[in-house]
Amino acid sequence: MAWATVLCTVPSCVWRLSLGFGVDVGFTGRLGTLYQGTPIMVYVLMLSVASQAAACLTLGLVRPWGEQVPHWIPRLGGRRIPPLVVVVPAATGALAVTGLCAAVTLAPAGPLANPDFPHGPAGLIMDACYAPLLAWGPLVAVLTLAYARRRRAGAGTAS
């Protein structure tokens, strides 16, 4: 399930990077001219790297490096990571991503209602690329809950 969090962010990253590298993804009017050139390329590259990095951090909820700092990290290697140091940001991220995705998709006058947004086949492609993001927050929430339960159970047996 942790890999699903990583994979559900890939289609939107590919779509954004296509936009950033000049592919016509269907924006028209003011947005069509705004979403061109170096500034948008830098923006979508940074956003894509950040979202993929955040998604990859989810793997720490199921891997040993989410419970203990890897030994190769100077001064901290081998130390146990307190569960709340992982649970609080993961839960916050899950809520933030879920809330943002819900707000964008459910807001009647939100960004998707903009007439300059892609429509027709381009709109369907954009929707298909962004739809998996609706699962990202809930998947992180489930993994965070499982991590917290596992760490709490492990703490009880270590006494």
Side-chain angles (χ1 to χ4, degrees), residues 114-133:
N114 188 320
D116 294 342
F117 255 61
H119 296 286
L124 291 174
I125 291 169
M126 182 185 78
D127 291 348
C129 289
Y130 275 88
L133 287 183

mmCIF file of all heavy atoms in Angstrom, residues 114-133:
data_model
loop_
_atom_site.group_PDB
_atom_site.id
_atom_site.type_symbol
_atom_site.label_atom_id
_atom_site.label_comp_id
_atom_site.label_asym_id
_atom_site.label_seq_id
_atom_site.Cartn_x
_atom_site.Cartn_y
_atom_site.Cartn_z
ATOM 1 N N ASN A 114 -12.869 27.115 -14.121
ATOM 2 C CA ASN A 114 -12.304 28.149 -14.978
ATOM 3 C C ASN A 114 -12.467 27.741 -16.449
ATOM 4 O O ASN A 114 -12.062 26.652 -16.835
ATOM 5 C CB ASN A 114 -10.818 28.337 -14.639
ATOM 6 C CG ASN A 114 -10.202 29.525 -15.344
ATOM 7 O OD1 ASN A 114 -10.469 29.787 -16.499
ATOM 8 N ND2 ASN A 114 -9.341 30.221 -14.627
ATOM 9 N N PRO A 115 -13.053 28.604 -17.266
ATOM 10 C CA PRO A 115 -13.263 28.250 -18.675
ATOM 11 C C PRO A 115 -11.971 28.065 -19.468
ATOM 12 O O PRO A 115 -11.993 27.470 -20.552
ATOM 13 C CB PRO A 115 -14.084 29.418 -19.225
ATOM 14 C CG PRO A 115 -13.892 30.525 -18.270
ATOM 15 C CD PRO A 115 -13.583 29.922 -16.940
ATOM 16 N N ASP A 116 -10.847 28.564 -18.938
ATOM 17 C CA ASP A 116 -9.559 28.397 -19.621
ATOM 18 C C ASP A 116 -8.884 27.070 -19.309
ATOM 19 O O ASP A 116 -7.833 26.762 -19.858
ATOM 20 C CB ASP A 116 -8.609 29.550 -19.266
ATOM 21 C CG ASP A 116 -9.093 30.896 -19.803
ATOM 22 O OD1 ASP A 116 -9.950 30.901 -20.714
ATOM 23 O OD2 ASP A 116 -8.607 31.928 -19.319
ATOM 24 N N PHE A 117 -9.477 26.299 -18.401
ATOM 25 C CA PHE A 117 -8.928 24.976 -18.083
ATOM 26 C C PHE A 117 -9.177 24.034 -19.255
ATOM 27 O O PHE A 117 -10.101 24.240 -20.044
ATOM 28 C CB PHE A 117 -9.574 24.422 -16.804
ATOM 29 C CG PHE A 117 -8.685 24.491 -15.601
ATOM 30 C CD1 PHE A 117 -8.218 25.697 -15.140
ATOM 31 C CD2 PHE A 117 -8.311 23.344 -14.937
ATOM 32 C CE1 PHE A 117 -7.400 25.769 -14.035
ATOM 33 C CE2 PHE A 117 -7.496 23.400 -13.827
ATOM 34 C CZ PHE A 117 -7.035 24.617 -13.371
ATOM 35 N N PRO A 118 -8.384 22.980 -19.367
ATOM 36 C CA PRO A 118 -8.580 22.023 -20.464
ATOM 37 C C PRO A 118 -9.977 21.414 -20.465
ATOM 38 O O PRO A 118 -10.532 21.092 -19.416
ATOM 39 C CB PRO A 118 -7.528 20.944 -20.177
ATOM 40 C CG PRO A 118 -6.459 21.653 -19.405
ATOM 41 C CD PRO A 118 -7.203 22.648 -18.561
ATOM 42 N N HIS A 119 -10.547 21.269 -21.654
ATOM 43 C CA HIS A 119 -11.857 20.661 -21.864
ATOM 44 C C HIS A 119 -11.725 19.593 -22.948
ATOM 45 O O HIS A 119 -10.689 19.493 -23.602
ATOM 46 C CB HIS A 119 -12.891 21.711 -22.283
ATOM 47 C CG HIS A 119 -13.154 22.741 -21.237
ATOM 48 N ND1 HIS A 119 -13.884 22.475 -20.105
ATOM 49 C CD2 HIS A 119 -12.765 24.030 -21.133
ATOM 50 C CE1 HIS A 119 -13.946 23.553 -19.358
ATOM 51 N NE2 HIS A 119 -13.263 24.520 -19.956
ATOM 52 N N GLY A 120 -12.757 18.832 -23.130
ATOM 53 C CA GLY A 120 -12.736 17.788 -24.154
ATOM 54 C C GLY A 120 -11.692 16.725 -23.830
ATOM 55 O O GLY A 120 -11.449 16.422 -22.654
ATOM 56 N N PRO A 121 -11.045 16.167 -24.862
ATOM 57 C CA PRO A 121 -10.038 15.116 -24.624
ATOM 58 C C PRO A 121 -8.900 15.574 -23.705
ATOM 59 O O PRO A 121 -8.454 14.816 -22.844
ATOM 60 C CB PRO A 121 -9.518 14.785 -26.027
ATOM 61 C CG PRO A 121 -10.623 15.173 -26.943
ATOM 62 C CD PRO A 121 -11.297 16.353 -26.293
ATOM 63 N N ALA A 122 -8.455 16.821 -23.856
ATOM 64 C CA ALA A 122 -7.382 17.328 -22.995
ATOM 65 C C ALA A 122 -7.829 17.373 -21.538
ATOM 66 O O ALA A 122 -7.060 17.067 -20.625
ATOM 67 C CB ALA A 122 -6.934 18.715 -23.453
ATOM 68 N N GLY A 123 -9.089 17.747 -21.315
ATOM 69 C CA GLY A 123 -9.637 17.772 -19.961
ATOM 70 C C GLY A 123 -9.760 16.380 -19.382
ATOM 71 O O GLY A 123 -9.489 16.168 -18.191
ATOM 72 N N LEU A 124 -10.151 15.426 -20.202
ATOM 73 C CA LEU A 124 -10.246 14.037 -19.735
ATOM 74 C C LEU A 124 -8.870 13.489 -19.358
ATOM 75 O O LEU A 124 -8.735 12.774 -18.364
ATOM 76 C CB LEU A 124 -10.895 13.157 -20.809
ATOM 77 C CG LEU A 124 -12.376 13.420 -21.066
ATOM 78 C CD1 LEU A 124 -12.863 12.591 -22.243
ATOM 79 C CD2 LEU A 124 -13.200 13.126 -19.820
ATOM 80 N N ILE A 125 -7.866 13.834 -20.152
ATOM 81 C CA ILE A 125 -6.499 13.390 -19.839
ATOM 82 C C ILE A 125 -6.038 14.016 -18.532
ATOM 83 O O ILE A 125 -5.474 13.340 -17.662
ATOM 84 C CB ILE A 125 -5.538 13.717 -21.000
ATOM 85 C CG1 ILE A 125 -5.871 12.850 -22.208
ATOM 86 C CG2 ILE A 125 -4.084 13.525 -20.572
ATOM 87 C CD1 ILE A 125 -5.167 13.254 -23.488
ATOM 88 N N MET A 126 -6.285 15.319 -18.374
ATOM 89 C CA MET A 126 -5.905 15.978 -17.126
ATOM 90 C C MET A 126 -6.623 15.341 -15.934
ATOM 91 O O MET A 126 -6.004 15.044 -14.910
ATOM 92 C CB MET A 126 -6.221 17.474 -17.177
ATOM 93 C CG MET A 126 -5.789 18.221 -15.917
ATOM 94 S SD MET A 126 -6.278 19.953 -15.901
ATOM 95 C CE MET A 126 -8.001 19.803 -15.473
ATOM 96 N N ASP A 127 -7.914 15.109 -16.072
ATOM 97 C CA ASP A 127 -8.689 14.482 -14.996
ATOM 98 C C ASP A 127 -8.141 13.101 -14.656
ATOM 99 O O ASP A 127 -8.012 12.748 -13.480
ATOM 100 C CB ASP A 127 -10.163 14.367 -15.379
ATOM 101 C CG ASP A 127 -10.864 15.713 -15.450
ATOM 102 O OD1 ASP A 127 -10.289 16.724 -14.984
ATOM 103 O OD2 ASP A 127 -11.991 15.752 -15.983
ATOM 104 N N ALA A 128 -7.823 12.323 -15.679
ATOM 105 C CA ALA A 128 -7.288 10.972 -15.454
ATOM 106 C C ALA A 128 -5.936 11.013 -14.751
ATOM 107 O O ALA A 128 -5.630 10.142 -13.931
ATOM 108 C CB ALA A 128 -7.172 10.224 -16.781
ATOM 109 N N CYS A 129 -5.148 12.025 -15.050
ATOM 110 C CA CYS A 129 -3.824 12.155 -14.416
ATOM 111 C C CYS A 129 -3.920 12.634 -12.974
ATOM 112 O O CYS A 129 -3.087 12.278 -12.144
ATOM 113 C CB CYS A 129 -2.942 13.096 -15.225
ATOM 114 S SG CYS A 129 -2.411 12.409 -16.810
ATOM 115 N N TYR A 130 -4.912 13.443 -12.681
ATOM 116 C CA TYR A 130 -5.051 13.980 -11.331
ATOM 117 C C TYR A 130 -5.964 13.150 -10.426
ATOM 118 O O TYR A 130 -5.876 13.246 -9.200
ATOM 119 C CB TYR A 130 -5.526 15.438 -11.365
ATOM 120 C CG TYR A 130 -4.372 16.387 -11.538
ATOM 121 C CD1 TYR A 130 -3.912 16.738 -12.801
ATOM 122 C CD2 TYR A 130 -3.704 16.892 -10.440
ATOM 123 C CE1 TYR A 130 -2.821 17.578 -12.959
ATOM 124 C CE2 TYR A 130 -2.616 17.733 -10.577
ATOM 125 C CZ TYR A 130 -2.179 18.077 -11.850
ATOM 126 O OH TYR A 130 -1.100 18.903 -11.998
ATOM 127 N N ALA A 131 -6.822 12.333 -10.991
ATOM 128 C CA ALA A 131 -7.750 11.523 -10.186
ATOM 129 C C ALA A 131 -7.046 10.650 -9.150
ATOM 130 O O ALA A 131 -7.523 10.555 -8.010
ATOM 131 C CB ALA A 131 -8.636 10.673 -11.103
ATOM 132 N N PRO A 132 -5.914 10.024 -9.475
ATOM 133 C CA PRO A 132 -5.256 9.193 -8.449
ATOM 134 C C PRO A 132 -4.842 9.968 -7.195
ATOM 135 O O PRO A 132 -4.711 9.379 -6.124
ATOM 136 C CB PRO A 132 -4.031 8.630 -9.174
ATOM 137 C CG PRO A 132 -4.405 8.648 -10.619
ATOM 138 C CD PRO A 132 -5.265 9.876 -10.781
ATOM 139 N N LEU A 133 -4.665 11.281 -7.325
ATOM 140 C CA LEU A 133 -4.302 12.078 -6.141
ATOM 141 C C LEU A 133 -5.388 12.054 -5.077
ATOM 142 O O LEU A 133 -5.112 12.275 -3.900
ATOM 143 C CB LEU A 133 -3.998 13.525 -6.529
ATOM 144 C CG LEU A 133 -2.695 13.773 -7.257
ATOM 145 C CD1 LEU A 133 -2.510 15.266 -7.507
ATOM 146 C CD2 LEU A 133 -1.510 13.219 -6.493
#
